[in-house]
Structures are given as C-alpha cells and as structure tokens.
C-alpha cells in the first residue's frame, strides 16, 4: 500500500466573537485539511490548526509522503522529528518545522484513517480498542459580544432572529455578565445535554467571574461539575485568593497562573485540583511538571502532543504518575471531533469530560452534516477509519472563504482592538 496523492487545503468557517484572556475571536476560524489517497484508491483525512505557517509546513512534506507506506508510521515520525534514515542522510525539513509534533500528528491521523479503511477497522481499534462507546463532553461557556461571526461579524444571521428561543439564537447573543452566562449555559445544556460546565475566564474582573461560577452552581446544583480557565490572566496572589473563593465549587482549576513553578506554588495553597493545557504541553515538559507537582490533571490534545498514538503514551504516563487526564479543544470541525472521540474511546483513564468548541460552529464539511451529542456525549462514529468523509463541495466553499476572508494567522489581540482601541494583551491582567 502506497500513498500516491497528498492534498493540503486551508479553510475558514464562521466563528462568533468569543472572548478570552488573549482578546477576541475573529469572524472566521482557520483550520487545515489533510487528504491522502493510496494506490488502491483508499483515502485518509485529518484536520489540524489553521493559518499560512501550518499550511507551508505541511506542504513541505509532499515529497516525503508520496510513495510511502502509511503503515510505517514510526519511520515517518522519526524522519519528521529529526531526519533519521537508515543511510544516515538528512532531509531539507530538518530544523525547519516550528512544530514537528503538530505536523506529524496531522499526517498520522490521516494515515490511521486510511489504515482503518484498508483493514475495515475503526481508528479506536488501531489504538488498542474501545473501552467506552460514548464519549462525554463538557459545555464550553464563553463571555462574548453579540454576533454570529462569519459574513455577519458582530451582527446577527438574519435567518436566526436574535430573540428566537434555543441555541442557534443564543450563540449569537451578547454574554458579558454572570446572568447572561447562566442563560447561555441553560441553552447549551438544553440543546446538547452536557452534564458538566467549563467557563472560559480571564475576561472580566476575577470577582465577576467567581460570581459567575457561584451563579452556575446555584442554578445547576452540586451534581454538575464546574471548571474555570482564566488562561494565566491572574497573578499568583490573585490565583491564591480566588482559590479560597472557589474552594468546594470546582471540579478543577485550570491555568489561572502562568508557568510550572507558579502553578506548583499555587498547589501548596489550595486543595483544588490544578489542570493545564498551557504549562505542560509536550513530553519534554512532563519531568518538570511532575517533579514540581505543578498539576494534577493534564488536558491532552492530539493536535499538538504529536497525534493519537502519542496521546495514548501520554495517558500511560499520567496513569503511572497518578495524574488525571482530560482533553483540550480549539475551534474545530467534525474531522477533529471524530478523531478526539476515537482517542477518548480507547483511553481508559481519560475520565474527565472532554472540552469542545463544536457547538459554537454552525458550518460543517463532513458528509451528512454535524455530528450530534446526546445527553452530553458523542457516540464513536461508526464505520472503518474515523467514520467520517468529506463533502467536497463544502470543502471547496470553505477554502473559498479562506481565500476571501484575508486571515492567514490568528491574532485575538488585533481583533479585540477593533472594538476596543488601545486594548493590549497583558498577562497577568489581575
């Protein structure tokens, strides 16, 4: 079996004006689609981060991939990471990839999709087999400005009246107060059935965000786990103070302060479990994070940990050292969601509901439309490989959006300055 075609397609899709400590989401989110085709006509697909730099790095691997056996992933991984070859020669991609983990991860998922289709097995079976058929996800709550994103920007999609009931209208409404976030949470839970709630914080003053958590607890009761993620917008002193305020309210406390040393210091002042997808994001970070006791829960992400097989290795390390495991998310579509579900299905100790931005996205490029959550969980897509295929017409439309929107990298600070001139990224802010 040989790879004979390799295609990279940058895409853009509508993203509402969501807030974080880093600023404001642009009207379009960027992603990159990888497509492989074998000599016997079997395809493999994946989805990864977007932007010109990601596209350039993936395109650079064309000569390496065409003609290669997709089963020989270990050899391919070694070559991408360091140019290792049996004959000792080097290749021009050595030292020229800003993120070999992300680049290899995108290729690996597409290869596993192809292998699954060739063998008639789902990707989760290639990772060791299913331990769960349904993967729980958490509602991801954002402070936000009014607007649908995409061509409407800060305005509403006229096909969805702003005062209409339900999630399609709620995802367009402004939510910049504790009460508005509770309304957002109610609509999201009603639509998707999520049974845990995560608040993207670092936007309003900390006391307002603590008030939001308290109001969520009051409205949803003690049986719904709550999480907060200030994205390092809080100083150590503020994080310690907020930990006292949040004690007994949170399932975990994610990245309130920057750096492994500061997180370890915070851990000495609180019994809240500390989680991260910022201070430990690679295997090289693990010894320091474990040695210092910086975190108790790691939010893995196959897009930047090096793919699905690497994420299974991460899970084993977490099990060995007694660390909890959850899953990080960014703005994504159904190919990434399917890969996340296959991974989570095959990892016994991924016991926390996974993050996902998926409800915030109104567009989709997989055939059959958006994947559906039931009672807050996603059934692992049926069929060989990832269990999803690309709608080529939608892929072409989203590629045209990428070309037309003029965005080639993500810059939340620049977007924030469009509505608040003079705004500057400052971490910590409080």
């Amino acid at each position: 079996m040989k790879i004979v075609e390799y295609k990279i397609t940058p895409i853009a899709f509508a993203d509402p004006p969501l807030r974080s400590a880093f600023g404001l989401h642009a009207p379009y989110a960027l992603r990159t689609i990888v497509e492989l085709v074998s000599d016997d006509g079997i395809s493999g697909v994946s989805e990864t981060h977007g932007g010109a730099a990601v596209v350039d790095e993936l395109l650079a691997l064309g000569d390496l991939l065409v003609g290669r056996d997709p089963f020989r992933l270990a050899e391919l991984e070694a070559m991408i990471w360091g140019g290792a070859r049996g004959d000792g020669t080097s290749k021009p991609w050595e030292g020229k990839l800003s993120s070999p983990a992300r680049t290899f991860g995108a290729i690996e998922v597409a290869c596993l999709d192809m292998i699954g289709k060739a063998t008639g097995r789902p990707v989760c079976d290639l990772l060791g087999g299913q331990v769960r058929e349904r993967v729980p996800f958490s509602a991801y709550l954002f402070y936000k400005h009014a607007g649908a994103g995409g061509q409407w920007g800060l305005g509403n999609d006229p096909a969805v009246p702003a005062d209409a009931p339900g999630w399609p209208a709620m995802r367009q409404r402004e939510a910049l107060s504790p009460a508005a976030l509770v309304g957002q949470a109610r609509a999201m839970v009603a639509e998707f059935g999520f049974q845990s709630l995560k608040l993207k914080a670092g936007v309003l003053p900390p006391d307002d965000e603590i008030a939001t958590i308290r109001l969520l607890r009051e409205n949803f009761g003690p049986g719904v786990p709550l999480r907060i993620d200030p994205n390092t917008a809080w100083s150590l002193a503020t994080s310690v103070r907020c930990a006292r305020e949040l004690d007994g309210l949170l399932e975990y406390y994610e990245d309130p302060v920057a750096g492994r040393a500061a997180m370890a210091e915070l851990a000495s002042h609180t019994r809240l479990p500390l989680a991260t997808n910022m201070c430990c994001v690679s295997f090289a970070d693990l010894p320091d994070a474990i040695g210092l006791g910086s975190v108790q829960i790691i939010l893995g992400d196959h897009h930047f940990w090096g793919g699905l097989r690497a994420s299974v290795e991460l899970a084993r390390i977490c099990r060995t050292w007694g660390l909890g495991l959850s899953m990080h998310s960014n703005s994504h579509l159904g190919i990434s969601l399917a890969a996340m579900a296959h991974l989570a299905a095959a990892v016994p100790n991924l016991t926390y509901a996974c993050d996902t931005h998926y409800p915030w996205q109104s567009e989709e490029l997989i055939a059959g439309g958006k994947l559906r959550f039931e009672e807050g969980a996603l059934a692992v897509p049926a069929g060989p490989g990832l269990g999803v295929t690309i709608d080529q017409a939608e892929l072409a439309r989203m590629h045209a959006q990428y070309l037309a929107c003029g965005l080639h990298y993500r810059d939340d600070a620049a977007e924030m300055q469009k509505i608040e001139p003079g705004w500057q990224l400052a971490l910590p802010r409080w």
Side-chain angles (χ1 to χ4, degrees), residues 209-429:
E209 297 183 340
I210 291 171
T212 302
I213 290 292
R214 287 177 173 158
L215 196 58
L216 287 167
R217 171 60 68 235
E218 179 182 327
N219 279 267
F220 287 90
V224 175
L226 303 178
R227 314 164 179 180
I228 191 170
D229 176 14
N231 276 142
T232 74
W234 298 351
S235 68
L236 179 58
T238 298
S239 298
V240 171
R241 178 180 71 81
C242 291
R244 291 194 294 267
E245 298 285 339
L246 293 164
D247 189 34
L249 296 175
L250 296 181
E251 179 181 36
Y252 59 68
Y253 191 22
E254 181 183 342
D255 288 315
V257 66
R260 293 185 288 275
M263 287 284 279
E265 177 64 21
L266 174 60
S268 71
H269 293 278
T270 182
R271 60 183 181 178
L272 288 171
L274 302 185
T276 190
N277 77 290
M278 295 183 73
C279 77
C280 185
V281 295
S282 71
F283 289 97
D285 294 334
L286 283 166
D288 197 34
I290 293 170
L292 291 171
S294 304
V295 294
Q296 289 75 56
I297 300 160
I298 292 177
L299 277 69
D301 186 328
H302 73 272
H303 301 92
F304 56 73
W305 276 88
L308 302 180
R309 290 154 56 253
S311 297
V312 172
E313 293 176 12
L314 169 64
R316 293 193 181 105
I317 292 171
C318 287
R319 184 177 60 197
T320 300
W321 290 96
L323 299 175
L325 186 63
S326 188
M327 190 177 288
H328 168 260
S329 166
N330 208 321
S331 300
H332 65 89
L333 296 174
I335 298 174
S336 276
L337 183 61
M340 293 165 68
H342 279 275
L343 173 60
V347 175
N349 57 314
L350 203 159
T351 55
Y352 292 91
C354 303
D355 288 352
T356 180
H357 288 59
Y358 197 62
W360 290 102
Q361 269 61 72
S362 58
E363 298 178 85
E364 183 53 278
L365 55 66
I366 59 174
K370 290 179 70 71
L371 300 174
R372 293 192 58 80
F373 298 98
E374 294 182 359
E375 298 180 345
L378 182 71
V380 178
L386 292 175
V388 297
T389 58
I390 292 175
D391 181 328
Q392 290 294 330
E394 281 299 296
L395 178 65
R397 186 185 65 79
M398 291 189 192
H399 178 57
Q401 282 186 165
Y402 174 84
L403 297 175
C405 76
L407 295 171
H408 299 291
Y409 60 93
R410 179 173 173 174
D411 189 342
D412 288 12
E415 292 299 323
M416 188 66 196
Q417 290 162 5
K418 293 177 182 178
I419 64 170
E420 190 176 313
W423 189 91
Q424 295 294 321
L425 176 61
L427 298 175
R429 188 172 293 275

Side-chain angles (χ1 to χ4, degrees), residues 79-96:
M79 296 179 73
I80 288 175
W81 273 91
R85 288 171 60 94
D87 58 9
T89 61
S90 62
K91 283 288 184 179
W93 54 84
E94 285 187 40
K96 295 185 178 181

Side-chain angles (χ1 to χ4, degrees), residues 191-205:
E191 180 76 13
F192 304 104
F194 294 124
Q195 298 178 26
S196 61
L197 308 174
K198 174 173 175 173
L199 174 64
K200 177 64 78 175
V203 175
L204 304 183

